[in-house]
Every structure is written in structure tokens, then in C-alpha cells.
Amino acid sequence: MIMNDTDNKNGMMGYVRVIHTVPDAPNVDIYADNKLIVSNLAYSKYTDYLSVPEGRYKISLYVAGTKNTPVLTNMLTVPKNSYLTVAAVGTLSDMEFLEIDDANIDQTLGKADIRFLHLSPNAPAVDITLPDGTVIFSNVIFEQITPYIEVEPMNYTLQVRVSGTDDVVLTVPNVNLSADKFYTVYAIGFAGKEPELQALLLIDGK
């Protein structure tokens, strides 16, 4: 997974980033076709998008600083002009890769688009609401990625509630959305134990 100037000039590139959302896992190294591409990635951290020639790659995850037996291996197809996020998800004893297509819809000029991704391995289904109880996304289960929705660009406070209830398990202030951008809110961590639930707001695509 090495950037090639010729491929880049010919528009043959895709873009891939990696995020570590496994709450009880150590720091990790990521290899593509046995080449180190991400080093010592800690829980809740993520990379910038990496420029990648279109193609199919063997992605392997190792405990950082080791290269004996991979914790996880999967194949990843990178189409040209695509933006992908590869998330390490689950728990240390039950880990997998989740491939996520980013910024993959048309956007209305002057609007923002946002979606939600539930990656807390022990949390129940949740609703994403505004503080007044208005439901934005409902009954989102573990590993579910909602569709993007179009909203006005402004600063929001979001709440994560146990689905169908008023039980707020996480408040996410200062969700500042700019026009002409795509965003994903990642809910990660454990419900009821450490590391506790938290939200990450990532800008998707260009």
C-alpha cells in the first residue's frame, strides 16, 4: 500500500484511514501486504487518510512492536476515488475489521451531512437525539452505520439514549458542523466500566 505518483496523477488512487475502537486492546501496528502502514495506534486514535493505489490488499493487525502472529487479518478492496475507514472493532477476545464507505453520497451546497456509528461492544441499542428529545437516529445497534442525514451547519449538542427511553447514557456537546462537509459520530468505549463511553467526531472524505 505505497503511494505511486503515476497512479495519483492518473486518478487511480483511493484513500484509506484506520481507527482503533477496541476498548480493551493494546496499541496496534497495521500492515498492508506485509508493509507497515500504521505504527503504535492507540485506542480511540485514528490516522489521516492515506493515499492508496486502487487494488486489493491483505490487511493485518498486530500488537504494537510484534510481528509473530496477527491478531486479525482481512482483505480490503480499495476502488479509485473512494474514501474508506477501516475500524478495528469489538473486544480483544472478539475483534474484527469493519469497512466503512465515507462521503459516498451527493451533497447539497451549503448543508452539512452527519451519521452515527455504534461501536460500543457491550452497549444496547441506542437513539441519538437532541436535548429536547427530538430523535435523529433510532434503535441503532452495535456495528450499525446510519445513513447520512442533511442538516444545517451549526453547533449541536447530541444525546445518546437507551433506545425507546429517556435514559441518557452520553451527552456530546459542541458538535460543530461546517457547510459542505460530511461527518461521522463514533460512539466507542464500554457501558458501565472503563474505558467509559465517549464520542469521536470525524470529518469524512475530502
Side-chain angles (χ1 to χ4, degrees), residues 66-155:
T66 73
K67 201 171 182 292
N68 296 322
T69 303
V71 177
L72 193 59
T73 298
N74 202 7
M75 298 302 297
L76 175 68
T77 299
V78 180
K80 65 180 179 181
N81 300 321
S82 64
Y83 287 84
L84 302 174
T85 297
V86 177
V89 305
T91 61
L92 184 58
S93 62
D94 187 19
M95 192 187 306
E96 60 183 317
F97 283 129
L98 183 65
E99 298 173 22
I100 305 157
D101 289 326
D102 294 335
N104 57 353
I105 61 171
D106 293 330
Q107 187 172 51
T108 302
L109 187 65
K111 300 292 187 179
D113 284 83
I114 189 170
R115 65 183 176 181
F116 179 80
L117 175 50
H118 180 340
L119 291 181
S120 171
N122 72 331
V126 297
D127 297 333
I128 312 305
T129 75
L130 298 177
D132 66 3
T134 301
V135 176
I136 302 172
F137 303 109
S138 64
N139 199 35
V140 185
I141 63 173
F142 177 58
E143 293 189 2
Q144 182 180 348
I145 309 165
T146 72
Y148 287 106
I149 62 166
E150 187 176 279
V151 298
E152 293 297 327
M154 57 183 288
N155 193 296

Side-chain angles (χ1 to χ4, degrees), residues 34-85:
N34 294 315
K35 295 182 175 65
L36 180 66
I37 59 167
V38 180
S39 177
N40 202 34
L41 187 66
Y43 165 68
S44 80
K45 303 303 182 183
Y46 53 92
T47 69
D48 294 331
Y49 285 105
L50 309 172
S51 299
V52 178
E54 66 172 328
R56 188 164 172 81
Y57 299 91
K58 179 183 177 182
I59 306 298
S60 301
L61 179 149
Y62 295 83
V63 173
T66 73
K67 201 171 182 292
N68 296 322
T69 303
V71 177
L72 193 59
T73 298
N74 202 7
M75 298 302 297
L76 175 68
T77 299
V78 180
K80 65 180 179 181
N81 300 321
S82 64
Y83 287 84
L84 302 174
T85 297

Side-chain angles (χ1 to χ4, degrees), residues 175-202:
V175 180
N176 194 12
L177 307 183
S178 298
D180 308 318
K181 298 288 187 183
F182 290 91
Y183 298 87
T184 300
V185 178
Y186 289 74
I188 66 172
F190 285 126
K193 61 179 182 177
E194 297 291 333
E196 62 187 13
L197 287 174
Q198 68 177 101
L200 304 175
L201 179 67
L202 274 63

